[in-house]
Amino acid sequence: MKNEYIELPVATADGHFVARYSEKGLAGLSFPAARASARAVKPAEIPSQIRAWHRATESALKKILAGNQPKEFPPIELTGTDFQKSVWRQLQKISAGKTKSYGEIAQAIGKPKAVRAVGGACGANPIPVLVPCHRVLAANQKIGGFSGGMHWKRSLLTREGVRVKD
């Protein structure tokens, strides 16, 4: 499976997300409007390790969509620049129902002037929802942007009990 991805649907009450797996773990997650680009994979062709990771992905995603913090996650393969990876690691530290500002994330990674770059890294996050970029807000608790669309960001934050300003 070297340099190949297996894409599998994740059925939720909010529609079908698409999870993309590499040989190292979950490498991408797309919102329901997205379509899988890989060839259809028959269940018998899916390695047992990926089936286990997919069960963990489904469980974690459904818990987050219900406003809860999952206890377990699949292995996550984050592909990006060192800067992006440092931002994404900080995002993973934000618990359900909590938020941080782009400035707080920039400060936490030791780049206090890189606020806009933090926003760019959030927008490039390949695994939204599980790597919770929706929990990052602009200054003064304003909602800011979101790669999945503002309706998703509002919905995810509301489910977690977070009140935001438009």
Side-chain angles (χ1 to χ4, degrees):
M1 196 175 98
K2 199 168 187 167
N3 294 325
E4 291 181 20
Y5 293 99
I6 291 179
E7 292 186 344
L8 300 172
V10 181
T12 72
D14 294 290
H16 286 78
F17 286 73
V18 177
R20 187 172 62 253
Y21 299 93
S22 72
E23 60 190 7
K24 296 178 183 174
L26 179 65
L29 185 67
S30 300
F31 285 93
R35 298 242 189 266
S37 60
R39 66 178 178 83
V41 179
K42 295 177 184 153
E45 296 176 346
I46 301 168
S48 61
Q49 184 65 59
I50 290 182
R51 283 197 300 270
W53 295 343
H54 193 60
R55 285 190 298 274
T57 299
E58 287 179 312
S59 176
L61 180 60
K62 288 176 181 178
K63 282 187 167 116
I64 293 170
L65 292 174
N68 300 313
Q69 182 71 34
K71 289 185 178 21
E72 291 185 41
F73 288 88
I76 291 178
E77 179 187 13
L78 292 170
T79 304
T81 67
D82 288 343
F83 178 84
Q84 289 171 325
K85 289 177 190 177
S86 69
V87 170
W88 300 333
R89 281 191 296 274
Q90 285 300 313
L91 300 182
Q92 291 174 291
K93 295 177 182 179
I94 308 171
S95 302
K98 306 289 183 197
T99 62
K100 296 226 177 204
S101 70
Y102 295 104
E104 288 172 314
I105 298 294
Q107 194 77 29
I109 63 169
K111 306 270 187 194
K113 295 184 180 183
V115 176
R116 284 180 165 267
V118 166
C122 288
N125 175 9
I127 309 174
V129 187
L130 270 61
V131 176
C133 50
H134 63 278
R135 296 180 187 147
V136 182
L137 301 175
N140 302 318
Q141 291 291 103
K142 290 194 176 179
I143 197 160
F146 190 59
S147 62
M150 297 309 292
H151 65 286
W152 271 110
K153 187 165 187 166
R154 279 188 194 90
S155 176
L156 291 166
L157 289 170
T158 299
R159 293 170 194 209
E160 294 180 8
V162 175
R163 299 180 90 166
V164 295
K165 301 173 187 173
D166 283 328

